[in-house]
Amino acid sequence: MRRETLVREQSIVNSRQVLILVFLLAQLADVAFAVEGKIAFTSNRAGEWAIYVMNGDGGNHYRLTDGGSPAWLPNGKKVGFVHGGDIWVIDREGTNRKNITKGRFKEGIKTPVWSPDGEQIAYRSRVGGIFGITDLYLMDADGRSSRKLTNDLHHDDRPSWSPDGRNIAFSADLRPQENLLESEIFVIDTNGRNRVNLTQNPKAGSTHVSWSPDGSRITYTASPKPLLFHAPHNIHVIDADGTNKVMLTKEDRWAYEWRPAWSPNSKKIAFVKQTPDGFHDIFTINADGGDLRNITQTHRVDEFSPAWSPRPLAVPPSGRMVTRWGEVKLNAEIFRTVR
């Protein structure tokens, strides 16, 4: 009897040790995902445009779905995208594809991005046909209740939410009627007020804006030599208050770089760069300008629109720990039962 009791107690101790180990491994997996994340991007590597997903270092890529303008939902479990002028979402594994807007916007939608709380979508739309002006709009996450955020004679584009959800950064082409790219980076409140020009240099053609997850900086594309014909564009960063403007990438007559996107820990930036063969790859660079890497390295293929997944914290960290612990305890109990 004593021996059976000891064996039972040892089994309980072993089960608890397994339980704790599984719990810690699950937490480490979440931390690894939060630090490195995944990058969704568009590519024509299979002969047609589609959305792919890869690790932050370029490994383990897979095709997700057809469409463009990929954007992660805040929980990191779904990817939003545009297909046929509508906004769609799909699980990051490629399942449960769903049309959010269902043809309600005849003018079409571009560059949708979800608010940090997942309740709203900012996007660009054109009014007045192909020669109309583009403005920014907000809609509910279910694709309804659209309202205008900007209303001017500029081409407003590329919205990017601040991490606290109170502001949106975007680019505006100030002279679209003259077909001149004189654009700036602006920040505006989500109620459409307090529009602030961050860059104050329209001839640099600043565009393709992305707000860092830690809220401190904004990255964008601009030209260091705007008066040149077909001027090069490089990756820049600026503090969120408009100070400390820095060009990250090397100045080069043939440097054409676009669409920067921050890593979830605000340590790296992914962006599109034209390669010597005239095609485009996705590169990463540290936020201080070091460790430039080509992470796709495809030949005679175009890769565009990198979107780095957010930190997967849809609930507060304490709540997430409790939820994870409950899941692990349940799995451990099942494991003990089947033994």
Side-chain angles (χ1 to χ4, degrees):
M1 185 68 178
R2 176 62 178 168
R3 178 178 176 80
E4 291 178 358
T5 301
L6 289 174
V7 169
R8 188 179 305 109
E9 290 176 351
Q10 184 62 47
S11 177
I12 292 173
V13 170
N14 291 340
S15 296
R16 287 175 177 171
Q17 290 174 341
V18 170
L19 175 61
I20 293 171
L21 178 60
V22 171
F23 173 70
L24 292 175
L25 289 174
Q27 292 300 312
L28 288 173
D30 273 356
V31 170
F33 184 89
V35 172
E36 292 298 332
K38 299 281 186 178
I39 298 176
F41 63 101
T42 58
S43 175
N44 62 357
R45 58 177 62 187
E48 60 182 2
W49 287 105
I51 298 173
Y52 293 77
V53 175
M54 63 181 170
N55 292 347
D57 61 3
N60 297 323
H61 64 267
Y62 62 92
R63 178 168 172 156
L64 184 68
T65 185
D66 53 342
S69 297
W72 291 84
L73 274 65
N75 62 11
K77 296 179 179 180
K78 293 180 179 290
V79 177
F81 62 99
V82 174
H83 179 67
D86 276 319
I87 297 177
W88 299 66
V89 295
I90 190 170
D91 292 348
R92 68 188 183 197
E93 296 83 11
T95 57
N96 299 321
R97 176 170 158 147
K98 181 181 180 181
N99 188 335
I100 295 297
T101 50
K102 299 179 180 177
R104 287 191 290 268
F105 299 88
K106 302 300 182 184
E107 65 274 13
I109 290 174
K110 299 288 186 183
T111 62
V113 285
W114 274 253
S115 60
D117 62 7
E119 297 296 321
Q120 296 185 87
I121 303 171
Y123 65 97
R124 183 200 85 183
S125 189
R126 185 186 301 274
V127 176
I130 191 171
F131 299 108
I133 298 298
T134 60
D135 281 306
L136 301 184
Y137 295 76
L138 297 178
M139 71 167 68
D140 292 344
D142 62 2
R144 300 182 182 275
S145 302
S146 175
R147 64 179 178 86
K148 223 174 201 184
L149 180 65
T150 63
N151 188 11
D152 50 48
L153 296 178
H154 306 152
H155 274 316
D156 299 325
D157 198 7
R158 302 286 168 186
S160 179
W161 292 85
S162 63
D164 62 10
R166 297 178 180 176
N167 307 99
I168 291 177
F170 65 99
S171 63
D173 186 354
L174 306 182
R175 300 175 65 183
Q177 292 84 359
E178 291 108 89
N179 199 28
L180 295 173
L181 182 59
E182 292 192 2
S183 58
E184 301 270 32
I185 303 302
F186 290 84
V187 171
I188 193 170
D189 295 349
T190 53
N191 60 11
R193 300 173 184 169
N194 299 321
R195 179 170 173 151
V196 177
N197 186 334
L198 289 190
T199 46
Q200 301 286 339
N201 184 14
K203 293 188 181 298
S206 302
T207 185
H208 295 278
V209 60
S210 177
W211 208 313
S212 67
D214 65 11
S216 65
R217 289 171 293 178
I218 291 170
T219 182
Y220 62 97
T221 296
S223 175
K225 301 288 180 75
L227 298 181
L228 289 177
F229 174 73
H230 198 44
H233 274 67
N234 295 83
I235 304 302
H236 293 66
V237 293
I238 191 171
D239 287 355
D241 62 1
T243 60
N244 298 323
K245 189 188 305 181
V246 176
M247 186 171 73
L248 277 192
T249 53
K250 182 180 178 181
E251 185 175 329
D252 183 340
R253 174 66 181 88
W254 302 105
Y256 300 105
E257 300 162 352
W258 303 278
R259 301 184 181 179
W262 290 92
S263 65
N265 61 5
S266 301
K267 300 295 185 182
K268 290 180 177 289
I269 297 170
F271 63 97
V272 177
K273 180 179 176 66
Q274 182 173 298
T275 55
D277 61 4
F279 292 85
H280 301 84
D281 274 328
I282 294 174
F283 287 69
T284 60
I285 192 170
N286 289 348
D288 62 3
D291 196 23
L292 177 67
R293 298 186 184 188
N294 183 338
I295 63 171
T296 49
Q297 299 190 41
T298 48
H299 179 61
R300 302 188 67 81
V301 167
D302 283 315
E303 323 273 21
F304 284 110
S305 303
W308 221 314
S309 62
R311 294 179 182 271
L313 294 177
V315 296
S318 58
R320 186 174 179 83
M321 290 282 283
V322 171
T323 300
R324 175 67 76 182
W325 181 241
E327 292 173 353
V328 171
K329 285 198 296 183
L330 176 61
N331 291 337
E333 189 62 36
I334 293 172
F335 171 73
R336 290 172 57 189
T337 301
V338 298
R339 288 180 65 199

